[in-house]
Amino acid sequence: VASNTTATVTPSGSVIVSTQATLGASGTLTFSWDASNPLIGLVAVGATGTTAEKTMTAIKAVAVNENADVTMIKFSLTGGSAADFATNGIKLYQKVGSVAEKLIGSADMISTSATFNFDPGTLVIEKSKTNVLIVKALFNGTSNGVAANDPPAIDFADATNANDDTYITAKGSS
């Protein structure tokens, strides 16, 4: 057939059918404690604080129907005080499947919370993959803010407040 000419094409052979697609109205993003979430532990901070990060919590994140692009996530201080944590002492890691955990960001504990804000694409919870968010901390020592026997604890959306949805901001992405 010559260029810019109309022609009739008649298919032959068997009919070719596309694969079937299931359409969802929306995606979901859910969180639960991961099996690797640590039990209560004792950390000896000494006078100057810790140089090794201590895992505070591990949260399993599950995205269904589409990836979730997280742009903000907030953790609340539920025990101890902000003075317990070093500057930029709250660290957020992401572990996808069996790949090694990756540092996503660092934040300060300000008053009663640590908030991480991300550019789009920085923290993506991939659908149909095992995603674990791990929060680690560096602590101050007794000579720079920590009271002896002070039990710092971090929480993520305890589901008792009407505004728990402010603990995370995310949108679906393909």
Side-chain angles (χ1 to χ4, degrees):
V1 178
S3 175
N4 294 322
T5 304
T6 303
T8 302
V9 177
T10 305
S12 63
S14 61
V15 176
I16 299 173
V17 179
S18 72
T19 57
Q20 188 175 22
T22 301
L23 304 177
S26 63
T28 59
L29 179 59
T30 58
F31 298 92
S32 60
W33 297 122
D34 186 66
S36 65
N37 195 52
L39 298 174
I40 294 173
L42 180 62
V43 178
V45 297
T48 58
T50 59
T51 55
E53 297 170 352
K54 166 73 173 149
T55 299
M56 297 294 291
T57 189
I59 301 165
K60 184 177 179 180
V62 177
V64 177
N65 292 338
E66 63 184 342
N67 295 341
D69 192 354
V70 177
T71 55
M72 187 277 295
I73 189 166
K74 176 177 148 183
F75 295 91
S76 294
L77 180 65
T78 57
S81 73
D84 294 338
F85 301 95
T87 302
N88 276 325
I90 307 298
K91 312 287 185 181
L92 181 63
Y93 290 83
Q94 180 183 25
K95 182 174 173 44
V96 180
S98 59
V99 177
E101 61 192 45
K102 175 184 171 186
L103 179 65
I104 302 297
S106 299
D108 288 325
M109 183 62 72
I110 299 172
S111 184
T112 60
S113 66
T115 302
F116 294 86
N117 293 295
F118 303 108
D119 291 331
T122 302
L123 178 55
V124 176
I125 307 300
E126 298 181 53
K127 67 180 179 180
S128 305
K129 291 195 177 179
T130 302
N131 292 270
V132 179
L133 301 178
I134 303 160
V135 179
K136 296 183 179 186
L138 289 171
F139 295 103
N140 282 324
T142 55
S143 66
N144 55 357
V146 173
N149 299 316
D150 197 22
I154 295 174
D155 195 7
F156 174 69
D158 60 13
T160 60
N161 301 309
N163 65 345
D164 272 347
D165 60 346
T166 61
Y167 280 80
I168 188 161
T169 304
K171 67 178 183 174
S173 66
S174 49

